[in-house]
Amino acid sequence: MKQFFLTVLGVFTGLILFVVVLPIVLIIAAAASSSEPATPANAVLELDLREGLTDQVSTNPFAAFGGSGLSVVGIVDTLAQAEKDTHVKVLLIRLPEAGLAPAAADEIRQAVRRFRASGKPVIAHSQGFMPVGTVISSYMVGAAASELWMQNTANFQATGFSADSVFLGRAFERYGVRAEFEQRYEYKNAVNEFTQSDYTGPHREAMTAWMTSIYDSALANAAVDRRVEAPALKTTIEAGPYSATQALQLKLIDKIGQVEEAEAEARRRAGKGADIIEFSDYASSQGERMGSGRDAIAIVGGEGAIMTGTGGSGGFGGGSTIHSDATAEAIYDAIEDRSVKAIVFRVSSPGGSPEASEQILAAVRAAKAAGKPVVVSMGDYAASGGYWISSEANWIVAQPSTLTGSIGVYGGKFVVSEALGRFGVDLRGLSVGGDYSEAFSPASGFSEAQRAAFSASMDRTYEEFVRRVSTGRRIPIARVREIARGRVWTGAQGKTLGLVDQLGGLTEAIGKARELAGIPESQSVRFKRFPAPQSPWEALSSAFGVQSEAARTLVALGGVMADPRAQAVLSRVETERMRGQGASVLADQPL
């Protein structure tokens, strides 16, 4: 009966959407498109970085319903078009008061510098730099502008880089929850949050190392752009915080003023009759760069945790996930496309399922075997499973602040029978078959035999990971074992260790793909995106492929998806699915 009602719900919701909601959406979209003004002769392009970013442009046309709609890849692509657009005279950037993801900040800074190199000014405005997280990365982007403005009442508090970890060990002990996990090895720190009350020595060592690398890189970049020596800038910044007036006197910023004053200055520089255009509107009017020519370079995207399956469309703005069937199919489609001469695989992932990671890596191998070189462009993360799927590419490009490596594995379970028993809830398990059939039951801990079998499987997964890195990177296995052990590295550190070939972003990865494919610089090239963006009809059809997705879409239409509690439940379901597979090549995500 329950299944019947779910089916009816899915069909009914689908009919309502297709017959009533979708036509309205399409009519509104068509009206907006037809009435969208052309770019004025003198335009100021305004990029607001305060509402959060994804790494990549979603293939789902409804994804923007869940956020700002801006992505790092989209910003890079749009600025590349704007620097050649004679109508766009000035770029105005609104900086976030907190931090930007460090690798995202690296890539945006590089795009801003290319825009400035075209001879066009950039004005950045800040309403303050708060002493939280990666705020130094936000300042680094502002430092790349021609002029950095700050509001008069704002404070300059970007005095360093901080990160916090929540440890549940004492709480679990108090409430009767047992976290029974295996980790390979001591730097696979995600486990520590469940078992410890403080940083272990290796955990503290690894985090301090990559945080220092990111901090030093951001300071060095800001120093270059502000035309000062890095040690001097570091001394000044760390002696803060400062008022806006003090920051101006110390030449950390260029001007003090309200955002309206910065906008007026941007219009003045743009010329008579200048107008401000929102970045998303300009990006929509321009579309993606497609290029031209006989030969093509495929851009394959992968963002989020790595899981088996196809994944569907993710509803109306669901979170990003790399589903192995869909991502592998995208690579195989690029292989079969005769016009495609090379593949750029954009990876931004902390990892996930080893089985899903291996399926995607097999597709990368197939592309190489077909004579189509694969260049990986790493985003914010390409760690653990994210590094697994990258390890055998022909070339790896990462930002200095990309978090990568984490060559390790962990897995286990929570035993909650005692905790539930304290509330009068008795959890009991039954099983048939072999002893291992109940190994992951939350009702009881591992037996000695179960623990030994699970430990052996973890060892196998770890060794498989090490062998893939050794093969792909041409590093002796003994050396891989030294730099692995679950340790996270930055892109800058990874390049020194041989885990990364080149520092840079998508632009540099495309240039290397062209080189490996033997396409001369003088020859035009097309860009083909895999998987192709979905039309609204395709997205809705995919969303209603199963009843659970239909229910999720209905919830989204009701506005409940904006509730953090609803998002937490959906995220929990995805996480528990990965954990139920026993082993995970998933890096901790401190950012």
Side-chain angles (χ1 to χ4, degrees):
M1 183 64 69
K2 179 181 177 182
Q3 186 65 36
F4 170 77
F5 282 118
L6 284 173
T7 302
V8 171
L9 174 65
V11 172
F12 176 74
T13 307
L15 286 173
I16 292 296
L17 281 170
F18 274 94
V19 175
V20 179
V21 178
L22 182 62
I24 295 174
V25 171
L26 293 178
I27 289 171
I28 293 173
S33 176
S34 62
S35 62
E36 187 174 311
T39 304
N42 295 321
V44 175
L45 186 59
E46 183 171 21
L47 172 59
D48 193 336
L49 298 175
R50 298 173 300 168
E51 296 182 11
L53 301 171
T54 59
D55 181 71
Q56 298 163 33
V57 179
S58 176
T59 60
N60 181 356
F62 301 113
F65 287 12
S68 69
L70 288 176
S71 69
V72 175
V73 169
I75 289 172
V76 171
D77 182 76
T78 301
L79 286 181
Q81 296 181 70
E83 69 185 54
K84 296 179 175 64
D85 188 337
T86 56
H87 292 172
V88 176
K89 309 293 188 182
V90 180
L91 174 64
L92 174 64
I93 303 175
R94 302 292 303 278
L95 295 170
E97 295 169 63
L100 287 166
D106 280 337
E107 195 139 7
I108 292 170
R109 169 185 175 266
Q110 291 155 10
V112 168
R113 285 171 59 86
R114 287 191 291 268
F115 183 91
R116 281 189 63 186
S118 68
K120 301 180 180 183
V122 178
I123 295 175
H125 186 274
S126 170
Q127 291 179 287
F129 296 102
M130 301 298 291
V132 291
T134 56
V135 67
I136 192 67
S137 295
S138 181
Y139 176 67
M140 179 187 72
V141 172
S146 314
E147 288 183 0
L148 175 54
W149 290 51
M150 200 160 82
Q151 188 171 307
N152 61 315
T153 56
N155 290 303
F156 188 101
Q157 302 178 80
T159 58
F161 172 17
S162 65
D164 299 301
S165 301
V166 176
F167 295 96
L168 301 173
R170 288 196 305 122
F172 282 174
E173 183 178 352
R174 178 177 180 180
Y175 293 105
V177 177
R178 294 208 318 272
E180 297 198 354
F181 282 82
E182 292 273 337
Q183 63 194 104
R184 300 294 184 274
Y185 279 100
E186 69 273 21
Y187 294 104
K188 201 66 178 175
N189 299 320
V191 174
N192 296 345
E193 295 179 359
F194 308 135
T195 61
Q196 306 294 323
S197 60
D198 197 355
Y199 296 104
T200 63
H203 192 169
R204 185 181 298 276
E205 173 196 342
M207 281 195 66
T208 302
W210 64 252
M211 288 175 66
T212 301
S213 178
I214 288 173
Y215 180 54
D216 288 348
S217 176
L219 281 174
N221 288 334
V224 168
D225 292 333
R226 297 295 299 174
R227 295 185 175 86
V228 297
E229 294 296 323
L233 179 62
K234 181 178 181 179
T235 298
T236 301
I237 281 179
E238 292 181 357
Y242 303 111
S243 67
T245 301
Q246 290 171 321
L248 179 63
Q249 291 170 345
L250 292 168
K251 299 183 179 180
L252 294 172
I253 62 173
D254 298 297
K255 288 189 178 180
I256 295 175
Q258 299 294 329
V259 66
E260 290 79 10
E261 296 175 276
E263 289 173 342
E265 174 63 14
R267 285 194 187 95
R268 186 190 69 77
R269 292 199 181 195
K272 185 176 181 181
D275 200 4
I276 293 177
I277 305 176
E278 289 188 14
F279 200 88
S280 56
D281 291 340
Y282 180 77
S284 296
S285 69
Q286 297 299 304
E288 288 186 84
R289 280 184 301 170
M290 301 306 295
S292 60
R294 180 183 69 248
D295 296 333
I297 292 175
I299 311 293
V300 177
E303 180 176 4
I306 303 171
M307 299 177 64
T308 58
T310 57
S313 70
F316 286 80
S320 298
T321 304
I322 300 176
H323 288 94
S324 57
D325 281 12
T327 304
E329 182 181 2
I331 295 173
Y332 285 119
D333 286 346
I335 293 171
E336 294 170 4
D337 189 324
R338 293 185 178 181
S339 68
V340 170
K341 305 304 179 185
I343 298 171
V344 172
F345 187 14
R346 175 73 175 199
V347 177
S348 187
S349 171
S353 160
E355 291 76 21
S357 300
E358 180 65 13
Q359 181 183 356
I360 296 169
L361 182 60
V364 172
R365 293 191 194 108
K368 292 169 62 180
K372 299 193 176 184
V374 179
V375 177
V376 165
S377 169
M378 293 180 168
D380 292 332
Y381 292 93
S384 209
Y387 194 78
W388 188 310
I389 64 179
S390 307
S391 59
E392 296 188 28
N394 295 85
W395 195 259
I396 295 178
V397 180
Q399 291 294 351
S401 299
T402 295
L403 295 186
T404 189
S406 192
I407 303 163
V409 60
Y410 78 92
K413 65 177 180 177
F414 297 107
V415 181
V416 297
S417 52
E418 181 184 343
L420 293 175
R422 296 180 183 183
F423 296 93
V425 178
D426 296 314
L427 179 63
R428 302 287 186 266
L430 285 175
S431 67
V432 296
D435 175 60
Y436 200 72
S437 63
E438 62 174 359
F440 288 93
S441 168
S444 60
F446 289 118
S447 68
E448 285 189 20
Q450 290 168 348
R451 171 75 79 170
F454 179 54
S455 181
S457 73
M458 299 286 285
D459 288 335
R460 286 193 298 272
T461 301
Y462 179 72
E463 288 302 318
E464 287 168 355
F465 198 167
V466 167
R467 283 197 298 271
R468 278 146 187 75
V469 175
S470 176
T471 299
R473 303 304 304 161
R474 297 181 177 85
I475 303 174
I477 284 183
R479 175 57 178 159
V480 176
R481 290 198 180 101
E482 289 178 12
I483 62 179
R485 309 187 72 81
R487 182 160 179 167
V488 174
W489 305 97
T490 63
Q493 293 169 326
K495 186 174 185 300
T496 301
L497 296 168
L499 298 177
V500 168
D501 295 299
Q502 179 181 355
L503 298 180
L506 187 63
T507 299
E508 288 74 20
I510 290 172
K512 187 63 182 184
R514 174 194 281 268
E515 175 189 328
L516 293 177
I519 303 173
E521 284 291 333
S522 58
Q523 182 178 320
S524 297
V525 68
R526 287 181 292 141
F527 303 109
K528 301 187 75 170
R529 190 176 174 195
F530 295 86
Q534 294 177 311
S535 69
W537 292 104
E538 290 171 331
L540 285 172
S541 297
S542 179
F544 290 100
V546 292
Q547 286 87 357
S548 62
E549 287 299 300
R552 180 172 177 163
T553 303
L554 182 62
V555 171
L557 286 176
V560 180
M561 285 299 290
D563 190 328
R565 291 169 297 180
Q567 291 285 5
V569 170
L570 291 169
S571 176
R572 180 69 174 173
V573 170
E574 303 264 307
T575 302
E576 287 303 319
R577 179 182 166 189
M578 286 190 290
R579 183 171 289 132
Q581 295 175 341
S584 177
V585 281
L586 187 68
D588 54 329
Q589 302 172 60
L591 301 184

